[in-house]
Amino acid sequence: MFDLDKWQEILATIRQNKLRTFLTGFSVAWGILMLVVLMGSGEGLANGIEYQFRDDAVNSIWVRSGQTSVPHAGLQPGRNVRFTNEDHEIIARDIDGVEYITSRFYPRGQLTVAYRGETGSYDIRSVHPDHQHLEKTIVSEGRFLNDLDIAEYRKVAAIGERVKEGLFGKDRAVGEYININGIPFRVVGLFRDAGGESEEEKIYLPISTAQKAFAGGNRIRMFMLTTGEADLETTDAMATEIRETLAQRHRFAPEDRRAVFVNNLNEFFERFVNLMSGIRIFVWIIGIGTILAGVVGVSNIMIIVVKERTQEIGVRKALGATPGSILGLILQESVFITAVAGYVGLVLGVVLLELGAAFLPDSEFFVNPGIDLRLALAATALLVLAGTLAGSVPAYRAARVQPVEALKDE
């Protein structure tokens, strides 16, 4: 039940002890503010790391050809390793756990793309249909490349939104023909890309068609594959098996790291996840430590309050105040100060995060700092509870004091 007299008394006590109340509230508000800022900053770092992987499937293995650096089986170092379509087929067939796989072939030279007098120079990638899953390509109109395009050497193309804007403007692109070095390709689809505008300035062609049209033979530059839900140990084993298979086919030492470059993104992503887990734990430790310091401050202040009001409490008890009413008075003051200060710290922390997001220079490694409001409110509630517990000890002592002893206190 709301007790107006008790609240008036609490507010009067606070007005009479402004500095003490301010210092108590400041310690609590500072603890919540630091917790909110630290957690928001940690979230910004986590978002930044995830942003680095926005464009590629994190459960993937990327394989690029290189040049041998050590002699092997009577062969001198310095040989270029050249992948072929057979490498793609063998990896897809013989390596267990391959979910999606694609190769890339890059036509040589500067290719000019034209449409009705409009020309441009764009990055052209010749790929398999599964490439869509590796690069997180989002089809916005029409379709992506398919298996029939590969099997029938179709002259078709999927173009990025930026390519469409450059060549077609506001006109419809799907169904129209673009010329790449004089060879007509029918546009079958438009796409967006999570990697941003630069990724939307690309044109995808069927790899079989491009190899034939641009004198590529059976060569491929690299291939990539996804590993499904396989764990890190399994994907490491897959990467090793891929290296050994290619080493045997192209006659280089398996330990020659420069002959082929096998990058297991599962491993990189796992490292970043572990790093972020460590940062989050560190943030929580610092934040909880700061809050505990605030709680200890509340407890100390309440002990001082009880000490200063010992005679007053003795008078109250001599006039008939019950231990429960004394206990409630002290606890209510503790909870009130803690709750108000915690809320102020929460609001200031959120404001600081918003200001930081608005005015800090853009960085790909610090994106959208923020905090789950439910988590922040839970932390504030926890602090209020801790403040209540902190105030309960001096309140309990105050409730047990004997009127005669209290009146003797100086």
Side-chain angles (χ1 to χ4, degrees):
M1 181 181 292
F2 182 76
D3 188 336
L4 180 61
D5 291 339
K6 185 178 288 185
W7 278 107
Q8 287 178 336
E9 190 172 344
I10 290 173
L11 294 176
T13 303
I14 291 174
R15 283 195 295 271
Q16 291 170 3
N17 302 276
K18 294 177 182 174
L19 179 61
R20 185 188 70 197
T21 304
F22 170 77
L23 293 176
T24 306
F26 178 78
S27 63
V28 174
W30 182 254
I32 286 292
L33 185 148
M34 291 303 298
L35 179 65
V36 170
V37 171
L38 286 172
M39 292 181 67
S41 301
E43 190 66 22
L45 287 173
N47 291 337
I49 290 175
E50 289 180 2
Y51 187 76
Q52 303 305 310
F53 289 94
R54 69 194 184 285
D55 188 29
D56 302 321
V58 296
N59 62 334
S60 58
I61 297 175
W62 296 55
V63 186
R64 295 177 174 83
S65 59
Q67 189 177 69
T68 60
S69 60
V70 297
H72 178 73
L75 298 173
Q76 296 299 313
R79 292 181 296 115
N80 290 321
V81 176
R82 299 182 184 277
F83 293 154
T84 65
N85 291 337
E86 288 72 28
D87 291 313
H88 173 105
E89 294 165 4
I90 288 172
I91 297 300
R93 184 190 64 211
D94 294 347
I95 303 297
D96 291 334
V98 174
E99 183 185 29
Y100 300 108
I101 183 169
T102 178
S103 295
R104 279 185 190 173
F105 160 71
Y106 298 97
R108 290 184 176 178
Q110 187 71 26
L111 303 182
T112 300
V113 184
Y115 174 75
R116 292 184 179 176
E118 297 290 340
T119 61
S121 181
Y122 301 99
D123 183 18
I124 296 177
R125 291 174 173 175
S126 308
V127 301
H128 290 89
D130 283 355
H131 193 280
Q132 181 179 2
H133 302 286
L134 271 296
E135 281 281 358
K136 297 182 179 178
T137 304
I138 304 164
V139 176
S140 55
E141 185 179 347
R143 65 173 176 84
F144 197 67
L145 309 177
N146 61 30
D147 291 333
L148 281 178
D149 296 331
I150 300 292
E152 297 179 359
Y153 302 93
R154 291 176 174 175
K155 293 177 182 176
V156 295
I159 64 175
E161 294 277 4
R162 298 277 292 176
V163 177
K164 188 261 181 187
E165 292 176 10
L167 293 178
F168 295 90
K170 295 183 179 179
D171 295 337
R172 180 179 173 83
V174 174
E176 300 295 321
Y177 282 83
I178 58 176
N179 285 295
I180 303 177
N181 272 17
I183 302 174
F185 286 82
R186 184 167 62 90
V187 177
V188 294
L190 303 181
F191 66 84
R192 291 182 285 109
D193 195 290
E197 292 185 348
S198 63
E199 292 293 322
E200 295 175 0
E201 293 181 342
K202 301 187 186 304
I203 297 175
Y204 289 122
L205 304 178
I207 189 169
S208 58
T209 308
Q211 287 172 329
K212 198 171 184 179
F214 302 108
N218 66 344
R219 296 194 306 276
I220 59 178
R221 178 68 181 85
M222 59 182 293
F223 54 87
M224 310 94 81
L225 56 93
T226 60
T227 56
E229 301 295 329
D231 56 29
L232 182 58
E233 184 178 358
T234 302
T235 62
D236 280 338
M238 291 172 66
T240 301
E241 189 176 359
I242 290 171
R243 176 178 289 281
E244 291 175 348
T245 300
L246 294 173
Q248 185 176 13
R249 280 184 48 78
H250 295 276
R251 303 180 67 188
F252 63 84
E255 63 275 11
D256 187 352
R257 299 294 170 179
R258 300 184 63 179
V260 297
F261 301 94
V262 182
N263 296 320
N264 186 356
L265 292 195
N266 293 275
E267 184 178 351
F268 296 149
F269 190 69
E270 183 84 3
R271 288 179 185 173
F272 282 119
V273 168
N274 292 336
L275 173 64
M276 287 315 306
S277 297
I279 291 176
R280 285 194 173 102
I281 292 173
F282 177 75
V283 166
W284 270 106
I285 290 175
I286 298 297
I288 290 174
T290 307
I291 289 178
L292 285 177
V295 170
V296 171
V298 172
S299 178
N300 288 334
I301 292 296
M302 296 313 295
I303 290 173
I304 295 172
V305 169
V306 170
K307 181 65 178 175
E308 289 178 347
R309 298 173 66 181
T310 300
Q311 286 190 340
E312 175 197 331
I313 292 171
V315 172
R316 286 174 177 274
K317 296 196 71 174
L319 293 176
T322 63
S325 65
I326 301 296
L327 183 69
L329 181 67
I330 303 298
L331 279 182
Q332 206 162 326
E333 182 177 338
S334 172
V335 170
F336 179 70
I337 294 174
T338 310
V340 171
Y343 180 75
V344 170
L346 172 64
V347 171
L348 289 177
V350 172
V351 169
L352 275 179
L353 285 178
E354 292 295 326
L355 290 176
F359 294 105
L360 285 177
D362 290 339
S363 171
E364 291 187 351
F365 295 94
F366 191 74
V367 179
N368 295 329
I371 185 171
D372 187 337
L373 193 57
R374 292 172 298 179
L375 191 61
L377 290 173
T380 305
L382 180 64
L383 180 62
V384 172
L385 177 62
T388 304
L389 295 175
S392 64
V393 175
Y396 180 72
R397 289 177 179 174
R400 286 173 56 86
V401 70
Q402 296 299 320
V404 175
E405 295 177 1
L407 292 172
K408 290 179 181 178
D409 189 79
E410 295 182 356

